Amino acid sequence: MKKYQNFINGKWCDAKSGKTFENRNPANWSEIVGIFPKSGKEDVEEAIKAARTAFEKWRLVPAPKRGDILKTVGDIMSARKEEIAKLMTREMGKVLTETKGDVQEGIDTAYYAASEGRRLFGHTVPSELPNKFNMAMRVPIGVAGIITPWNFPMAIPTWKIFPALLCGNTVVFKPASDTPATATVLVEILAEAGVPEGVINIVHGGGGEVGNAIVGHQEVDLVSFTGSTEIGIKISEMGSKTLKRVSLELGGKNAQIVMDDADLNLALDGVLWGAFGTTGQRCTATSRLILHEKVFDKFMSILVDRTKKLRLGDGLLPTTDVGPCVNEGQRQTDHSYVEIGLKEGAKLACGGDIGKGGDLDKGWFYQPTIFTEVTPNMRIAKEEIFGPVLSVIRIKSLEEAINVLNDTIYGLSSSIYTKNVNDAFRAIRDIKAGITYINAPTIGAEAHMPFGGVKQTGNGHCEGGWTVYEFFSEWKTIYIDYSGGLQRAQIDT
Ligand code: NAP
């Protein structure tokens, strides 16, 4: 069994306390994937000190050179894709095709970041005065605290760390306790590719200790967090005490609308992938199906039939469609929502219990579950479950569908299946979500596009694409007066 370490100031090291924790395979709980340092405040302190010192040199490395290092990172990740994907499946359960996709997203993000090193565009703007030149350029900020969830153990850290580094910041990274192994491989690769000592640091350990210590620290200038809304609010409150810049990517309650004129086979493939891919544990997972009454019965009978055929199992096996929940707690949450749904009067169309029998007894499996007769006011229609549980709501019109879709505190992803171009454009206009798909499921973000939610899914920052570079840099405005005399803005114009 492999023993992993923290990486601080270019050196691999244990927690100062010597404490450790285990990382186990959710498909086979008796298998220990690795032993990790259970770090504390003192380890975080050392990592922040290293990052602060390293910042003074790293910020002066030309952005194209920083980009070249990230290009090498992408190359190494490509060469190790298969091996990383297998490790990821072992530590968090999703099927191998999906973990390969997760690594690929990291590779795409590396190459995008490498190319951004030769852009990082600023602005030149005419001055209101003669013989004067105005420009604004982006500059690094300082030490970035990066705190990530377990559901995309490679992609999400890369969305944050690569732009942070490219912009000239240094990083203290705390990955989720459920996925520390993939995160460690990412840091290994960054170091191998030539990221200098102190520029990237990883500190393993619990959110309450390591996460808190990062967010509360005076010397951390910005925090990028992805996780639950509950923890996001705490981070926002704590970060505000030192006026940190904080980016939050939080929960979702995403819905797919299927109108009566939709291509039903396409919509079926979409909802199956959206609801049960990654065992429903995506921030963009389809948690609600908003289905037109004219196609309701026909659609439901095929959907339930196809859902019952999905094969639960170890994500490493080619026969598996749906892997386990990430841990026992998440499976309990899923089941508690099934009990809540039943009490609220919804009807189970399939699933509703843990996955049992044979190898399923070794892990945290939950049957793909569908509720019908769900009304928009039920908790299963409003709250994030983060498991393979789909709530189906019947609607009569596009207007009703959009109202139902918008009726949650979240606003991450959304989708509509229709052949009517007018309805599609109305949906684009009226749906309150950061992402809207037309004739595609709620999942499927591409690395070079903005990614983020509205309402209580976030706090207005966007990851992905060109937008994330706004978060990891700040503007410096420069006026160059070459008139040789005093020119007073607003007065001498
Ligand atoms: P979580 O419990 O909020 O944890 C996220 C991260 O925060 C983990 O690294 C966790 O550490 C850490 N943490 C916990 N308590 C903390 C504290 N007091 N201070 C600082 N850090 C703390 O979320 P999760 O269960 O890992 O992930 C699932 C959630 O993430 C869902 O709500 C999902 O919707 C959301 N998510 C959102 C997006 C998006 O882009 N909008 C993407 C993916 C996931 P430990 O692991 O050690 O507890």
Side-chain angles (χ1 to χ4, degrees), residues 3 11 21 43 138 167 179 189 259 342 401 461 473 481:
K3 192 163 178 283
K11 290 176 196 65
F21 69 95
D43 303 292
R138 289 205 245 148
C167 288
T179 50
I189 293 173
M259 296 301 291
L342 288 170
H461 295 289
S473 59
D481 191 321

Side-chain angles (χ1 to χ4, degrees), residues 148 150-151 174 177 207 225-228 231 250-251 283 384 386 451:
T148 54
W150 46 264
N151 64 337
K174 188 222 115 41
S177 297
F225 170 84
T226 298
S228 59
I231 303 293
L250 310 174
C283 48
E384 183 179 53
F386 222 56
F451 182 95

Side-chain angles (χ1 to χ4, degrees), residues 179-190:
T179 50
T182 308
T184 309
V185 172
L186 171 61
V187 172
E188 258 171 41
I189 293 173
L190 284 159

